[in-house]
Amino acid sequence: MTAHRHPKSLPPHGTSVVIVGAGPAGLTVGCVLRAAGIDCVVLECETRAFIESRPRAGVIEEWAVRALEERGLADTLLKRAERHSACEFRFGGEQHRFDYTEVTGCHHFVYPQPLLVTDLVREYADVRGGDIRFGARDVRVKGIDTDRPTVAYTCPDTGRRQELRCDFVAGCDGARGVSRSALPARRIRVARHDYGIGWLALLAEAPPSADCVLFGMHPDGFAGQMPRSPEVTRYYLQCAPGDDPDKWKPARVWDQLHRRLAAAGAPPLIEGTLLEKRVLDMHDYLVEPMAYGRLFLAGDAAHLVAPIAAKGMNLALHDAFLLGDALAAHFAGTGDEGLATYSRDCLRRVWDYQEFSQWLSEVYHGVSSRDAFRAGTTLARLRRLFTSPVAAAAFAEQFLGTAARY
Ligand code: RFL
């Protein structure tokens, strides 16, 4: 019998922190750790080229930009991102511009997620010398209630199992990741909310049709426009949950966008080739607590917010700042307070943003609910934003995430 030349798995190697997932959350944690001189390994199941081109978010709140800047992670963003100071609601056939910077002094930064991910990968791997392993398959997190958990994965080049022993695991592998399932079911609570609504998410190769985000409340359904760059614009159309994107041919898409975003005096939408067309079933979830033993979840791995208020990536960054700083304090020997309060501190902002998304969902979808009462109260909410400075200030604070405390 021939002896196996390679054992099925290699003996565990050590590092301080294994980060599962190279999205905005995982890469930010990695960059913070590398800046503090802490050893870590990022395991990502996709290729670098894939994550650097995956389209998703585009709106980053100013506090998050400033927090990236403080950590040396916003140089390119600050040069290239567009600063927005207003959004526009369209209802009752009219345009209503809402200048949130006038109220809060803060901006939204429009910077497509793939550009941010590209910046963060470059900073982590090429500038700060971080270890990142792309194409890692079948990642498994084990032993989180011990002092030395392990993360096993299959190496794409050799096909062999590798094990990394570490002090902490940061589970940053998004909504479909595996790290969440390592939390013992009896120690966590998962809260879910289903809006019962679908959004057709579109990316069009066309310049934006307005210089700001547009929200169209129309009896046919909600429509939105989010500028991404001078060449590419994101659009959303409310549809049935589980709808088939192939039923939305370009002519139907543009017809509905024109109808739902029509307003007196508004320039016509600029049409273009549809680069992406997918149906999102709008739902939220939240895992409490976000940590157990040596595993700390961050970003979409812990909580999903439907893209109603463009909050998901902002929350992922908020978690990452707290987790990166708390781990850095642990390894510097300056205390474990940050790790102890991590879940609570993240979840206060997460719950607040979830509540705002739910409120805004009613504003977007009430008019098309075929319920005269809901349609009437929705329009009252909308009008109040333009008649009551107090209501306007409250909306702007939530939209920009500028509350002094959560
Ligand atoms: P990500 O970005 O999903 O990254 C997770 C990474 O983990 C990898 N991964 C694994 N790696 C190893 N092993 C496994 N088993 C793995 N499973 C997964 C994945 O390949 C990936 O690289 O999570 P993260 O870092 O938590 O970031 C969250 C954000 O991506 C998300 O919240 C936002 O995209 C949400 N979102 C928006 N957020 C905003 O703040 N502003 C916006 O304008 C905004 N627009 C959007 C959005 C999400 C959208 N979709 C697709 C639902 C618009 C859309 C259409």
Side-chain angles (χ1 to χ4, degrees), residues 19-28 42-47 50-51 54-61 109 111 113 117 133-140 153 171-179 199-203 226 228 234-236 276 278 280-282 298-317 319-320 353:
I19 299 166
V20 187
L27 291 166
T28 302
V42 176
L43 295 177
E44 166 59 50
C45 61
E46 303 288 355
T47 63
F50 182 86
I51 64 164
R54 179 171 44 198
R56 276 194 187 172
V59 177
I60 313 182
E61 295 168 0
F109 286 67
Y111 195 58
Q113 185 166 336
V117 166
R133 303 182 190 179
F134 291 102
R137 296 199 313 267
D138 201 15
V139 172
R140 292 281 171 269
Y153 68 100
C172 307
D173 45 353
R176 296 200 176 84
V178 292
S179 51
W199 273 15
L200 184 68
L202 304 149
L203 269 183
M226 324 272 147
R228 285 293 188 255
R234 188 173 275 296
Y235 286 100
Y236 294 113
E276 188 197 62
R278 49 190 292 218
L280 308 175
D281 287 343
M282 304 300 268
D300 281 9
H303 42 73
L304 191 81
V305 195
I308 288 168
K311 294 294 191 186
M313 186 164 74
N314 291 285
L315 288 174
L317 291 172
D319 295 352
Y353 281 25

Side-chain angles (χ1 to χ4, degrees), residues 204-290:
E205 198 173 25
S209 308
D211 64 349
C212 68
V213 168
L214 301 180
F215 304 123
M217 276 62 62
H218 189 275
D220 283 3
F222 169 78
Q225 181 224 237
M226 324 272 147
R228 285 293 188 255
S229 72
E231 301 83 28
V232 175
T233 305
R234 188 173 275 296
Y235 286 100
Y236 294 113
L237 278 172
Q238 182 186 341
C239 62
D243 207 353
D244 177 0
D246 289 340
K247 289 201 300 200
W248 288 86
K249 303 290 178 221
R252 182 179 174 209
V253 165
W254 289 109
D255 174 61
Q256 281 297 309
L257 285 170
H258 284 292
R259 267 174 78 76
R260 298 185 195 184
L261 288 169
L269 301 188
I270 306 166
E271 297 188 12
T273 308
L274 297 175
L275 306 171
E276 188 197 62
K277 203 170 58 167
R278 49 190 292 218
V279 169
L280 308 175
D281 287 343
M282 304 300 268
H283 67 282
D284 306 320
Y285 64 70
L286 199 152
V287 177
E288 288 183 300
M290 288 168 53

Side-chain angles (χ1 to χ4, degrees), residues 46-53 118 121-122 125-126 132 134:
E46 303 288 355
T47 63
R48 181 168 182 167
F50 182 86
I51 64 164
E52 289 182 347
S53 58
T118 302
V121 175
R122 190 191 312 116
D126 306 337
I132 182 162
F134 291 102

